Amino acid sequence: MELRHLRCFQAVAEELHFARAAEKLHIEQSPLSRTIKELEEDLGEQLFVRTSRSTRLTRAGKLFLEHVPRVFTALQQARDSVKAAANGFHGQLRIALSDGITPSRLPALLALCRQEEPEVDIRLFQVPLAQQIKGLQDDLYDVGFAQSDEVGEGIAVEAVWSDPLMVAVPARHHLLKHKRIPLDEVLQFPLVLSDPQVCEGHAKQVERVLRRSEREPLIAERVASFELMMVVVSAGFALGLAGGPHIAASREPGVVARPLAGRSSMLTTYLLRCEGEVSEVLSRFIERVQAIDLPEGTRAPPPPEPDPQEEIEL
């Protein structure tokens, strides 16, 4: 088995079409078919079921596909390590990001790492939560951030940051008569929420808040980024639910952030790592994470209690 076999397999598995996969790889379809046949013979299993109308993965092919991307990730990390050593770095920290880490904290955290430990090469990987958990278990990442503590066995979880869950409201919307908007009022309007396939932890935390009401939410759209969520809100199509710092960071004109009325609604960010001993580099990184707070000027107002700042107007 050679890397070319894996590249060809991955292309066909992604396209589920031999002609398109061959075009993507810049090769002819005939050598691509031969390469897949060689791989199947080496594994002793059929990876694809191919007919005149379609191509689909077999069960063996689906299982194999789960492993192939990790091979390329590990290979790329090996290359990065060599380059880092050549550039004078004496260590590496691989950080996985899921669910949209609070945007104002990440630059401050990375700047502090560079200031205090410039010899450590930092690599960032933006991945879905399931991929982060698998990557931590397979030693593809040293540490990660997510908005879920449901990570299974073998992964240590620590709550590190909390941000108020806010309602993103189009400017001039009549709900702005409320300084704190009741959840039942929010649920009278269509919502744009984060896609659980991309931001699984964030979506689950928002869902728990929505379940406080007996009213069924009307989901107008699921989006892959908070930036797009704010665009949809600014256009007046729906209300959004996101962390205050995400709304502030988008700087989308025509969006006003208001807290929910009633019980405090917070979004928690967790630090994830494999259980057991940690390296000195990782230990120092965790200490910096615990010390980082939102920079002044980017903090969102806290949800209700006596007289918090009422809104962020963008």
Side-chain angles (χ1 to χ4, degrees):
M1 188 185 301
E2 301 175 9
L3 285 175
R4 66 182 177 87
H5 292 103
L6 300 184
R7 290 193 183 97
C8 289
F9 167 78
Q10 188 172 37
V12 177
E14 290 173 349
E15 298 294 332
L16 292 178
H17 193 284
F18 274 73
R20 288 198 300 266
E23 184 178 348
K24 184 176 182 179
L25 293 167
H26 306 292
I27 63 175
E28 295 296 323
Q29 187 172 337
S30 179
L32 173 61
S33 297
R34 284 199 303 272
T35 302
I36 295 300
K37 185 177 180 181
E38 289 172 3
L39 179 60
E40 290 178 327
E41 289 175 351
D42 182 57
L43 293 171
E45 292 289 343
Q46 185 177 0
L47 300 175
F48 296 98
V49 175
R50 188 178 181 185
T51 69
S52 58
R53 293 188 176 184
S54 68
T55 299
R56 62 181 176 84
L57 284 161
T58 63
R59 182 173 179 275
K62 291 177 182 177
L63 292 172
F64 192 59
L65 182 59
E66 293 179 8
H67 296 277
V68 170
R70 297 203 295 275
V71 173
F72 289 116
T73 299
L75 179 61
Q76 186 59 50
Q77 288 183 358
R79 288 173 173 158
D80 291 341
S81 295
V82 172
K83 290 179 182 178
N87 291 329
F89 291 106
H90 300 299
Q92 191 178 70
L93 194 61
R94 303 161 300 171
I95 306 171
L97 308 173
S98 305
D99 300 330
I101 185 174
T102 300
S104 301
R105 287 194 179 97
L106 185 57
L109 175 61
L110 296 179
L112 185 60
C113 291
R114 183 63 64 230
Q115 175 187 338
E116 295 186 352
E117 218 161 1
E119 70 278 8
V120 175
D121 182 35
I122 293 179
R123 298 284 169 174
L124 303 176
F125 303 86
Q126 193 166 10
V127 296
L129 178 59
Q131 187 175 332
Q132 176 180 156
I133 294 169
K134 186 64 175 171
L136 288 168
Q137 293 169 336
D138 291 345
D139 193 32
L140 294 179
Y141 315 124
D142 301 299
V143 66
F145 293 96
Q147 291 194 329
S148 176
D149 58 353
E150 300 173 13
V151 295
E153 297 181 359
I155 302 294
V157 182
E158 178 184 354
V160 288
W161 301 320
S162 290
D163 300 298
L165 177 65
M166 307 289 284
V167 187
V169 187
R172 296 176 296 280
H173 195 286
H174 79 267
L175 273 185
L176 293 176
K177 66 185 179 182
H178 298 284
K179 293 300 181 182
R180 302 182 186 89
I181 306 178
L183 180 57
D184 282 345
E185 292 282 326
V186 172
L187 295 181
Q188 292 184 33
F189 300 91
L191 299 178
V192 53
L193 302 178
S194 57
D195 185 345
Q197 297 296 319
V198 180
C199 296
E200 179 182 337
H202 180 275
K204 285 183 177 179
Q205 290 198 46
V206 170
E207 183 182 345
R208 284 196 290 268
V209 172
L210 295 178
R211 284 203 298 263
R212 295 178 187 172
S213 173
E214 294 182 358
R215 185 186 291 269
E216 190 70 22
L218 173 60
I219 312 300
E221 193 145 5
R222 298 275 190 178
V223 294
S225 72
F226 295 105
E227 290 79 8
L228 182 54
M229 180 187 293
M230 294 308 117
V231 168
V232 173
V233 172
S234 182
F237 292 162
L239 306 179
L241 287 170
H246 279 112
I247 301 176
S250 75
R251 301 192 178 279
E252 185 66 35
V255 175
V256 179
R258 288 282 170 84
L260 285 165
R263 181 153 47 110
S264 174
S265 300
M266 304 295 289
L267 292 171
T268 302
T269 297
Y270 299 91
L271 182 144
L272 279 56
R273 62 173 179 82
C274 277
E275 291 178 345
E277 299 263 338
V278 299
S279 67
E280 291 184 6
V281 170
L282 180 53
S283 178
R284 289 190 292 270
F285 176 78
I286 293 172
E287 289 175 2
R288 295 186 196 105
V289 171
Q290 295 165 337
I292 285 288
D293 198 0
L294 281 175
E296 290 295 334
T298 62
R299 291 189 178 92
E305 300 311 44
D307 299 319
Q309 177 187 344
E310 298 293 357
E311 64 186 63
I312 306 170
E313 297 209 15
L314 308 176

